[in-house]
């Protein structure tokens, strides 16, 4: 039997599928994953332990046994935190078999085998009862199912199922809640990751302009979030048009709904400009009172905080469907729509939004196909006028009136540049 494993080609940046034998060591996949980044996230780990310890104490104070359900246990770290905090028993769920096998060894090596049971299943397949995977429902729900977008790893369906079938009503949850924040900004740099700008080329017979077709100009792009390290973004690269607003919160100690919905807030721009981008991030409260908080807020929101470097959780860049001129002080509606796995945004003037209060915009889907060919960094490259000028200078040095050019590339502007600069013939080959 052969197995296909995904790999990112370091030269092209594209995802490729390689054929591996049935004896392939999946620990290599673990080594290439972000488990190490999470395990070295001191801020995350300390606050999870504080939240788990507090939850176990609250259950014990009620005179109950502390039974923990840890969904997506990974290495078993959170379950071991719960056991060391005094939990009576932990059910650690991990669907990825190599990781589950590793968790069993780690739990055993740390002396918790009598208090932690690793279950190699998806949480939606776990059974409860005398003959089930779990003897009884848990009264403490511990999870780390979050990505940069919060819900992209299927947190909502997992929570929804767990509350229906795996945990007691009124259970403790760590984290207790998550809150998503948003801020409206103008940024030519970030906007250049969504669409192709006109490209100006100085030719011998005057300036030429490569203009994207209208299908691409009006295309909403792809629905996937653009996740980046906003703390590495210079303040000169964007202009904030609004204060930070709270878009929505999820209380994980109560039944969670994964069905598609939307959230709408009213805001007033603090300055006039072109609304192009919604920056977003989240924080999690590990306890009901919110005294144990882990935040992904960028540097300009909490400048006094000691920032924890993370690659597993960053911040989100969402592109509005179109550029919207906004005026300081005017009332706007910012709408966040979501399905089970993704979020997208829309902006409306208040007078328009009042008549559309119950309408949720559709998820953006690329219709021009250019966004399927070019990823966001590639679009940014193509929109870099300085980079284009360097190519133009290089082409001018080698092109003659009788030049025949062969361009081997995928979605490159070089053939058009060569044509505009006087090449006799240009042949374009897509590998």
């Amino acid at each position: 039997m052969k197995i296909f494993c995904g790999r990112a080609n370091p030269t092209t940046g594209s995802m490729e599928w390689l054929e591996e034998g049935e004896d392939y060591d999946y620990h290599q996949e673990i080594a290439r994953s972000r488990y190490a980044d999470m395990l070295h996230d001191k801020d995350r780990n300390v606050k999870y332990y504080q939240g788990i310890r507090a939850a176990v104490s609250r259950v014990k104070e009620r005179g109950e046994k502390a039974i923990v359900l840890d969904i997506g246990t990974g290495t078993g770290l959170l379950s071991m935190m719960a056991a060391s905090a005094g939990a009576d028993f932990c059910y650690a769920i991990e669907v990825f078999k190599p990781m589950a096998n590793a968790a069993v060894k780690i739990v055993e090596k740390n002396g918790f085998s009598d208090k932690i049971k690793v279950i190699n299943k998806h949480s939606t397949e776990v059974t409860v009862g005398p003959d089930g995977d779990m003897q009884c429902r848990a009264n403490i729900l511990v999870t780390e199912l979050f990505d940069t977008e919060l819900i992209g790893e299927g947190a909502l369906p997992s929570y929804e199922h767990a509350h229906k079938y795996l945990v007691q009503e009124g259970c403790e949850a760590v984290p207790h809640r998550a809150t998503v924040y948003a801020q409206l900004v103008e940024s030519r740099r970030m906007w250049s990751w969504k669409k192709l700008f006109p490209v100006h080329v100085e030719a011998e017979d005057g300036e030429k302009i490569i203009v994207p077709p209208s299908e691409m100009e009006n295309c909403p792009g792809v629905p996937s979030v653009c996740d980046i390290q906003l703390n590495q973004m210079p303040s000169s690269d964007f202009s904030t048009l609004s204060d930070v607003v709270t878009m929505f919160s999820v209380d994980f100690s109560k039944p969670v709904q994964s069905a598609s919905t939307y959230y709408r807030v009213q805001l007033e721009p603090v300055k006039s400009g072109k609304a192009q981008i919604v920056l977003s991030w989240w924080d999690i409260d590990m306890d009901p009172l919110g005294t144990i908080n882990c935040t992904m807020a960028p540097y300009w929101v909490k400048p006094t905080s000691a920032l924890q470097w993370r690659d597993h959780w960053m911040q989100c860049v969402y592109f509005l469907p179109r550029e919207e001129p906004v005026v300081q002080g005017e009332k706007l509606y910012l709408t966040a729509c979501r399905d089970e796995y993704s979020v997208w945004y829309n902006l409306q003037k208040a007078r328009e939004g009042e008549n559309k209060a119950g309408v949720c915009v559709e998820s953006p889907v690329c219709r021009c196909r250019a966004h399927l060919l070019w990823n966001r960094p590639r679009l940014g490259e193509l929109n870099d006028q300085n980079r284009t000028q360097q190519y133009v200078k290089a082409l001018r040095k080698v092109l003659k009136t009788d030049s025949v050019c062969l361009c081997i590339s995928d979605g490159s502007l070089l053939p058009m540049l060569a044509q505009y600069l006087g090449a006799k013939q240009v042949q374009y080959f897509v590998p």
Side-chain angles (χ1 to χ4, degrees), residues 321-337:
R322 56 191 171 277
E323 194 175 70
E324 296 279 2
V326 297
V327 178
Q328 180 179 353
E330 73 174 334
K331 288 182 171 55
L332 303 172
Y333 282 122
L334 181 63
T335 304
C337 296

Side-chain angles (χ1 to χ4, degrees), residues 164-228:
K164 286 181 179 179
Y165 302 107
L166 304 179
V167 297
Q168 297 175 13
E169 183 178 355
C171 71
E172 300 286 343
V174 183
H176 181 81
R177 78 175 63 84
T179 304
V180 175
Y181 303 91
Q183 188 171 32
L184 200 62
V185 305
E186 175 181 348
S187 173
R188 179 176 175 82
R189 178 180 292 276
M190 287 186 270
W191 192 240
S192 74
W193 303 339
K194 177 186 185 288
K195 58 183 292 183
L196 185 64
F197 298 158
V199 179
H200 297 262
V201 182
E202 290 294 337
E204 290 186 358
D205 55 346
E207 183 183 64
K208 306 288 185 179
I209 303 177
I210 302 174
V211 180
S214 59
E215 293 87 352
M216 185 178 180
E217 181 71 17
N218 299 319
C219 182
V222 290
S224 59
V225 67
C226 177
D227 53 343
I228 67 169

